[in-house]
Amino acid sequence: MADALSVIPAGVLRNLADKLYEKRKNAALEVEGIVKQLTTAGDHDKITAVINLLTTEFTYSPQANHRKGGLIGLAAATVGLTSEAAQHLEQIVPPVLNSFSDQDSRVRYYACEALYNIAKVVRGDFIIFFNQIFDALCKLSADSDANVQSAAHLLDRLVKDIVTESDQFSIEEFIPLLRERMNVLNPYVRQFLVGWITVLDSVPDIDMLGFLPDFLDGLFNMLSDSSHEIRQQADSALSEFLQEIKNSPSVDYGRMAEILVQRAASPDEFTRLTAITWINEFVKLGGDQLVPYYADILGAILPCISDKEEKIRVVARETNEELRAIKADPAEGFDVGAILSIARRQLSSEWEATRIEALHWISNLLNRRRAEVLTYLNDIFDTLLEALSDPSDEVVLLVLEVHACIAKDPQHFRQLVVFLVHNFREDNSLLEKRGALIIRRLCVLLDAERVYRELSTILEGESDLDFASIMVQALNLILLTSSELSELRDLLKQSLVNPSGKDLFVSLYASWCHSPMAIISLCLLAQTYQHASTVIQSLVEEDINVKFLVQLDKLIRLLETPIFAYLRLQLLEPGRHMWLLKALYGLLMLLPQQSAAFKILRTRLKTVPSYSFSGEQLGRTSSGNPYRILQHMSSGSQVTEDGDVNLNEDSKFSHHGINFTARLQQFEQMQRQHRLHAKVQAQSHSNSTSSSMPKDLQRPEELNRSPSLDVNRPPSRSRKGPGQLQL
């Protein structure tokens, strides 16, 4: 201290702390001249003493004017040192940096000015303090004082010039500081950071691309800034980096992919578009490096396929196709389970397009890696079953394709059908709304006969009799009306002449017993007319209820469709098809005379020509009713299922291997179970009703009254069974 005081006159020190800038400036020039003389003399001890004096007595003084004088004095001393300044920077720079956080804005301003002058003198030697200077400038860029911001901006430009021409700058030491600052939200700081990233990236010797993963997330974060200028600067920097990635032979795609996946889910539209664009390029360029990240990338792409912004949807779809076309090996880290997990999760998406693409992925994996996918079947099977209730028909059809692919194996086929029946049982609306669609599509994908045989086997032992009846009615209606099942109908028509048709008839018969009308329909389709007539005559009072008559109404209308054209043509030869005629008259007798179905069937039967068995024309009755043919049949001639005459009694019950006596017993036994079940339900309902009604309002005689049915009026919703076709 004494050495410094002996070198610097007291008047100079006094002026250095004066409140007037001009006096401080003149005093600083005096200090510069003194230090220059000491430098020439090589007296570095006194130079050190002068710097210490300026630091301790001025820059750290509680008086603002002293601090201002100290800063200008340190800058003047550095100028006086010229080329010798580097060895004294450890003393000069720290007090200046400390002044950047001074409470007095003018002190902060003079600190910027002082450091600017110091930097101009030392240039590259200044780099050792770069991180501290960068940190200080980062804070000053958001200073509340406009003059301080302006001074900091000038200093920042100079520091950038020094760094770009320096060979001592360490990017490795700088990146942690940059990464830490990237999360700052202040717009001025963000501009400052983007400016530095852009400058450093422009320096050929600095590999900013190699450190891009460290600050990439911060840049993406700036894309949603409220300032258009900041968004534009961040986008420009990202575009430049993406171009460099395209031209670089070595890029760390993995770390950046993790960031992009997160940003693709950003609520900001511009951020999502930029992220999905980057992902698109990565999928094209990344190759093997991205294999372990395929599942994460897929998780980002699928939601974007349904984005409200068209540009994002287009890029996402393109990326999805690119990703699906890549054939990766499990040895490279391809995780089938992870991808299936993503696809399963996206099946719950609210957007149809996303659900569809998720199913395409599952289907694609099944085709490529069936064995691996089946190991994860328990994880996805329930979700796939739930998807059968999807509101979108396209989704349901795709789910069925996936199920069909899984069900190629017998054990999985059985599991699928069992679960399908279970779902129909648990969710009646699924059977009603989607039952026909699901069954028809499965018949196309998995062979109709195989599907119907399996369904029949399961329903034969169904304990829920109400559901079994409804399900059989639905299956029967699909069988009678769907174009996809035309081959199955053709096979059933040959039940009396073809062993395969016979086996199918017997297989379906077991479960069709749950519904009298389904059995009658099956017999008419299989041309087992005698058995159809026998079944009709076996019906008792309890069987002929409202539901039965509604089903009968539908059957009569179906008889007028092209599917039963063969049956109507057979009526041209009543002598050969007497049992058909008797079966139809049996149905006519069951219908209310005022119903539309009665009138339709009676009109049809009136058109039947009355011919004798020998081909001789019989006289018609005045009403046109060929009932005399039925009288002829009952007079003693025996007619088989297909109309041939004169077979003995035993052969009548076992045509072509079908034991019709046993079938009838099977039907009657099942119907007894249904009647008992109905009685139990009625009794339970009656008990509950009786307990809730006053005794004087209970009228038991009304319980035995048969319900009237106007079949001309369409059945109400409460009477319509799920999955039934309204004609």
Side-chain angles (χ1 to χ4, degrees):
M1 180 72 70
D3 289 342
L5 291 174
S6 65
V7 173
I8 302 177
V12 173
L13 294 176
R14 188 169 52 253
N15 289 335
L16 198 59
D18 198 274
K19 64 180 181 180
L20 296 176
Y21 172 73
E22 287 299 324
K23 288 187 176 182
R24 293 198 303 273
K25 181 179 178 182
N26 290 331
L29 292 174
E30 293 279 351
V31 172
E32 178 186 339
I34 293 169
V35 172
K36 189 175 293 185
Q37 293 176 3
L38 293 173
T39 302
T40 303
D43 194 345
H44 287 280
D45 291 337
K46 289 184 178 180
I47 294 174
T48 300
V50 169
I51 294 172
N52 286 336
L53 175 65
L54 294 172
T55 300
T56 56
E57 297 298 322
F58 286 86
T59 59
Y60 291 125
S61 170
Q63 301 296 321
N65 289 330
H66 280 69
R67 297 197 297 275
K68 297 173 186 176
L71 290 168
I72 196 171
L74 287 174
T78 305
V79 174
L81 283 166
T82 60
S83 60
E84 302 291 329
Q87 57 184 303
H88 294 281
L89 284 179
E90 293 286 352
Q91 296 172 273
I92 297 172
V93 174
V96 178
L97 293 175
N98 182 68
S99 299
F100 282 139
S101 57
D102 197 281
Q103 293 182 351
D104 191 321
S105 61
R106 295 306 295 170
V107 174
R108 298 196 299 274
Y109 175 85
Y110 285 117
C112 292
E113 184 182 75
L115 195 57
Y116 182 89
N117 290 324
I118 293 169
K120 284 177 63 177
V121 174
V122 298
R123 303 296 292 185
D125 295 326
F126 183 70
I127 293 299
I128 60 173
F129 297 100
F130 176 77
N131 276 13
Q132 296 95 309
I133 295 170
F134 178 87
D135 192 39
L137 287 173
C138 187
K139 297 173 182 176
L140 290 174
S141 63
D143 198 277
S144 58
D145 189 281
N147 290 325
V148 175
Q149 282 192 21
S150 179
H153 180 66
L154 290 174
L155 175 60
D156 179 55
R157 290 174 57 185
L158 176 61
V159 175
K160 285 175 180 173
D161 290 340
I162 293 172
V163 168
T164 55
E165 66 186 27
S166 173
D167 57 0
Q168 299 178 27
F169 177 74
S170 174
I171 185 66
E172 292 81 3
E173 295 178 6
F174 168 65
I175 288 298
L177 178 62
L178 176 63
R179 182 173 59 241
E180 181 183 344
R181 290 287 176 266
M182 289 300 290
N183 294 323
V184 176
L185 300 179
N186 186 283
Y188 297 107
V189 175
R190 285 185 161 183
Q191 283 185 306
F192 171 80
L193 294 172
V194 175
W196 267 100
I197 290 171
T198 304
V199 167
L200 293 177
D201 186 49
S202 66
V203 180
D205 295 334
I206 298 178
D207 180 23
M208 284 294 282
L209 184 60
F211 295 95
L212 181 57
D214 290 284
F215 56 88
L216 180 64
D217 189 59
L219 283 175
F220 267 93
N221 200 29
M222 294 179 190
L223 292 176
S224 58
D225 195 277
S226 57
S227 168
H228 174 72
E229 186 177 358
I230 293 174
R231 293 198 303 272
Q232 195 172 42
Q233 289 177 355
D235 180 52
S236 177
L238 285 168
S239 299
E240 184 61 33
F241 277 118
L242 184 58
Q243 190 59 45
E244 291 178 29
I245 289 172
K246 294 179 182 179
N247 299 328
S248 176
S250 177
V251 178
D252 184 1
Y253 290 101
R255 286 180 61 197
M256 289 189 284
E258 294 177 352
I259 297 169
L260 297 175
V261 165
Q262 295 177 357
R263 289 298 169 182
S266 169
D268 179 69
E269 182 181 299
F270 187 46
T271 302
R272 291 199 307 277
L273 176 59
T274 307
I276 205 69
T277 302
W278 274 61
I279 291 175
N280 179 270
E281 294 296 336
F282 275 29
V283 170
K284 295 176 181 177
L285 302 170
D288 297 345
Q289 284 192 51
L290 283 178
V291 172
Y293 301 94
Y294 276 5
D296 293 335
I297 292 174
L298 181 63
I301 292 172
L302 290 179
C304 289
I305 286 175
S306 303
D307 199 278
K308 61 182 180 181
E309 174 57 42
E310 184 180 2
K311 292 180 181 178
I312 296 176
R313 294 198 302 270
V314 170
V315 178
R317 286 191 175 280
E318 179 185 336
T319 309
N320 184 54
E321 295 301 323
E322 291 278 351
L323 192 64
R324 197 156 53 205
I326 297 175
K327 297 180 180 180
D329 192 275
E332 300 171 351
F334 186 78
D335 190 343
V336 172
I339 292 179
L340 284 174
S341 178
I342 292 293
R344 177 184 59 80
R345 188 162 64 244
Q346 293 301 329
L347 281 178
S348 302
S349 168
E350 62 178 313
W351 306 109
E352 177 184 353
T354 294
R355 299 196 300 274
I356 289 173
E357 289 307 319
L359 286 168
H360 279 310
W361 268 96
I362 296 175
S363 179
N364 183 269
L365 289 174
L366 271 169
N367 292 330
R368 289 187 183 180
R369 306 176 185 278
R370 179 180 178 80
E372 292 177 66
V373 172
L374 292 182
T375 61
Y376 297 97
L377 188 58
N378 290 336
D379 297 332
I380 64 172
F381 199 73
D382 288 345
T383 305
L384 288 172
L385 284 172
E386 291 173 5
L388 290 171
S389 303
D390 195 278
S392 164
D393 285 349
E394 187 174 355
V395 171
V396 172
L397 292 175
L398 281 172
V399 172
L400 289 172
E401 288 185 15
V402 172
H403 277 301
C405 189
I406 294 172
K408 289 178 181 177
D409 299 328
Q411 70 272 24
H412 294 130
F413 173 76
R414 170 75 180 179
Q415 187 181 16
L416 168 62
V417 181
V418 168
F419 271 105
L420 194 58
V421 172
H422 171 76
N423 272 26
F424 285 148
R425 185 191 306 110
E426 297 299 317
D427 184 5
N428 286 335
S429 64
L430 176 63
L431 179 60
E432 181 178 1
K433 297 176 181 178
R434 291 290 170 76
L437 176 68
I438 292 171
I439 298 300
R440 289 167 58 186
R441 189 59 184 165
L442 279 181
C443 287
V444 171
L445 296 169
L446 291 174
D447 178 62
E449 182 178 352
R450 184 185 179 198
V451 171
Y452 261 70
R453 282 180 179 272
E454 191 65 42
L455 285 168
S456 180
T457 301
I458 295 170
L459 291 171
E460 181 182 357
E462 175 60 48
S463 58
D464 186 341
L465 296 181
D466 290 334
F467 165 72
S469 177
I470 292 171
M471 184 73 188
V472 165
Q473 290 169 18
L475 291 174
N476 183 62
L477 192 61
I478 295 169
L479 174 64
L480 295 178
T481 58
S482 299
S483 59
E484 295 89 344
L485 276 72
S486 60
E487 293 184 5
L488 200 62
R489 290 194 294 271
D490 291 340
L491 184 59
L492 282 169
K493 289 175 185 176
Q494 303 177 46
S495 296
L496 295 175
V497 296
N498 186 317
S500 297
K502 178 207 72 172
D503 289 343
L504 178 60
F505 175 82
V506 173
S507 175
L508 296 184
Y509 195 101
S511 61
W512 259 236
C513 287
H514 283 292
S515 169
M517 195 49 58
I519 279 291
I520 295 170
S521 303
L522 181 66
C523 291
L524 293 179
L525 185 63
Q527 302 186 69
T528 57
Y529 301 136
Q530 182 178 351
H531 188 65
S533 177
T534 305
V535 167
I536 293 170
Q537 294 189 53
S538 74
L539 298 175
V540 298
E541 180 182 348
E542 291 91 335
D543 298 329
I544 306 171
N545 52 32
V546 174
K547 292 181 180 179
F548 174 86
L549 292 175
V550 170
Q551 292 294 315
L552 178 55
D553 180 274
K554 293 177 181 177
L555 175 61
I556 299 306
R557 296 174 189 275
L558 281 173
L559 291 177
E560 297 298 316
T561 64
I563 292 173
F564 282 102
Y566 71 93
L567 182 147
R568 299 195 300 275
L569 291 173
Q570 287 174 348
L571 292 175
L572 293 173
E573 301 179 282
R576 290 189 58 198
H577 303 286
M578 293 302 302
W579 288 110
L580 168 60
L581 203 59
K582 187 171 183 179
L584 294 179
Y585 268 104
L587 295 178
L588 185 67
M589 294 303 107
L590 296 177
L591 286 166
Q593 291 190 49
Q594 300 304 315
S595 66
F598 178 87
K599 296 174 183 177
I600 292 171
L601 183 56
R602 186 181 61 177
T603 302
R604 174 61 63 186
L605 289 173
K606 282 183 178 180
T607 64
V608 176
S610 299
Y611 294 107
S612 68
F613 293 105
S614 61
E616 297 176 357
Q617 184 172 1
L618 297 175
R620 294 180 180 271
T621 65
S622 59
S623 63
N625 190 336
Y627 189 70
R628 287 166 52 188
I629 300 175
L630 297 181
Q631 291 178 324
H632 180 84
M633 180 182 69
S634 63
S635 65
S637 299
Q638 300 298 328
V639 185
T640 70
E641 297 290 346
D642 58 351
D644 291 336
V645 189
N646 296 327
L647 289 173
N648 59 42
E649 187 72 19
D650 292 335
S651 64
K652 178 174 65 176
F653 295 109
S654 183
H655 292 305
H656 303 281
I658 301 177
N659 188 336
F660 286 106
T661 303
R663 299 284 77 77
L664 182 61
Q665 292 173 352
Q666 186 179 23
F667 170 72
E668 291 177 338
Q669 181 181 0
M670 182 63 72
Q671 287 307 302
R672 280 194 292 272
Q673 293 181 29
H674 277 271
R675 291 173 201 135
L676 179 60
H677 174 69
K679 287 180 180 179
V680 171
Q681 283 190 323
Q683 184 64 40
S684 174
H685 177 71
S686 176
N687 291 339
S688 63
T689 304
S690 298
S691 63
S692 61
M693 288 177 58
K695 290 185 177 180
D696 58 341
L697 294 181
Q698 296 180 18
R699 301 175 61 184
E701 67 276 6
E702 291 185 6
L703 297 177
N704 296 322
R705 188 176 300 168
S706 300
S708 60
L709 173 69
D710 183 1
V711 186
N712 287 299
R713 183 178 68 251
S716 65
R717 289 185 178 270
S718 62
R719 294 177 179 176
K720 180 172 72 69
Q724 297 173 355
L725 180 65
Q726 292 297 318
L727 297 173

